[in-house]
Amino acid sequence: MELITLRELFKNTDRYAGQEVKIGGWVRNRRPSKQFGFIMLSDGTYFTPLQVVYNNTLENFQEISKINIGAALVITGTVELTPDSKQPFEIQAKEIAVEGPCTGD
């Protein structure tokens, strides 16, 4: 599966709704908890970052929950429309691969 840019996702959201996609980018922000977490991801192709939701069913849940801002990730997941939220859609992650870690400083 080829990587899709955030620009493509934001411009053609309806086309990708409910579809599995693969995206890559850098962590702009993260909010982990015990059962699930959120990652704001940016790839440089669009001004608005993308919200990725992940949960404790991921094999590397603990690693992803401790990832630093600036780390490079490749995420495979489903595009879920969220019309009642700030963002028009989010990605429900099925797999997250750390392509390049980042130090805490």
Side-chain angles (χ1 to χ4, degrees):
M1 183 181 306
E2 284 189 36
L3 290 178
I4 295 175
T5 65
L6 296 191
R7 178 182 173 89
E8 173 68 16
L9 280 176
F10 276 98
K11 297 288 184 182
N12 299 298
T13 303
D14 291 334
R15 183 168 136 201
Y16 292 104
Q19 301 292 320
E20 187 169 290
V21 296
K22 189 174 193 178
I23 57 172
W26 295 271
V27 177
R28 297 279 305 269
N29 192 4
R30 66 176 179 82
R31 297 184 316 272
S33 70
K34 291 182 182 181
Q35 302 289 325
F36 62 92
F38 301 95
I39 295 171
M40 296 305 285
L41 194 76
S42 179
D43 70 355
T45 63
Y46 203 70
F47 294 109
T48 306
L50 173 64
Q51 179 169 280
V52 177
V53 181
Y54 65 96
N55 61 45
N56 60 1
T57 60
L58 292 176
E59 288 181 20
N60 58 348
F61 177 77
Q62 294 300 323
E63 177 188 10
I64 299 303
S65 293
K66 295 175 184 174
I67 199 80
N68 290 317
I69 293 172
L73 304 177
V74 174
I75 299 168
T76 303
T78 306
V79 177
E80 299 290 334
L81 299 180
T82 56
D84 297 330
S85 299
K86 288 182 181 180
Q87 70 278 351
F89 65 95
E90 63 189 18
I91 301 291
Q92 294 287 329
K94 292 183 179 176
E95 181 180 327
I96 301 178
V98 179
E99 290 294 310
C102 190
T103 60
D105 56 358

